[in-house]
Amino acid sequence: MSDNREFGNRDRRSLGGISSPVAPRSSTPAAELRALGIEEIVISGDRPDLVTEAQRRWLPRSVLTWGNPGSSPLWEGRNERGPEGRAYVCRQMVCAAPASTVEETDERLTELG
């Protein structure tokens, strides 16, 4: 948005009346989340290629975690290290087979829709 009054007014009109330039990342209602389910994506090990594949998509109902395993239930049994890492793609804690390649990760993420 512009500091110039003329351009600023035009910017506000083009945003359809939104008064703040900061909007929530996702406006998915809670009811929709309950009905459709939360999607979980866990990438174990050191796999920036799989992280990049997951991040290039718009998946508003998804949680993505990678790096060092945490104490979250999402990390249970997913402790591969280094290049042996895999992508685990799940919906409401029910997971597809782990993906070891970018192509397999793409297939799993495509199934999420």
Side-chain angles (χ1 to χ4, degrees), residues 17-40:
I18 296 173
S19 60
S20 171
V22 179
R25 180 175 173 149
S26 174
S27 59
T28 306
E32 182 179 338
L33 287 175
R34 274 193 302 270
L36 298 175
I38 300 288
E39 299 154 349
E40 305 95 13

Side-chain angles (χ1 to χ4, degrees), residues 80-100:
E80 296 90 2
R81 302 278 183 201
E84 290 81 35
R86 297 178 178 194
Y88 296 86
V89 179
C90 313
R91 179 173 280 136
Q92 294 185 294
M93 303 300 287
V94 177
C95 303
S100 299

Side-chain angles (χ1 to χ4, degrees), residues 1-111:
M1 304 231 344
S2 173
D3 287 336
N4 180 300
R5 176 168 285 202
E6 178 184 339
F7 292 126
N9 288 336
R10 191 178 321 152
D11 289 344
R12 279 187 282 287
R13 284 192 304 272
S14 70
L15 290 173
I18 296 173
S19 60
S20 171
V22 179
R25 180 175 173 149
S26 174
S27 59
T28 306
E32 182 179 338
L33 287 175
R34 274 193 302 270
L36 298 175
I38 300 288
E39 299 154 349
E40 305 95 13
I41 305 163
V42 177
I43 301 178
S44 63
D46 183 21
R47 295 298 305 270
D49 56 332
L50 303 183
V51 173
T52 298
E53 181 64 25
Q55 289 178 327
R56 73 179 188 85
R57 299 165 181 266
W58 171 245
L59 298 168
R61 295 185 317 269
S62 295
V63 173
L64 171 63
T65 185
W66 71 92
N68 294 323
S71 60
S72 164
L74 292 174
W75 284 100
E76 284 183 25
R78 300 169 181 156
N79 53 9
E80 296 90 2
R81 302 278 183 201
E84 290 81 35
R86 297 178 178 194
Y88 296 86
V89 179
C90 313
R91 179 173 280 136
Q92 294 185 294
M93 303 300 287
V94 177
C95 303
S100 299
T101 66
V102 170
E103 293 77 17
E104 290 174 347
T105 302
D106 173 63
E107 289 173 15
R108 305 303 187 277
L109 294 170
T110 298
E111 291 171 6

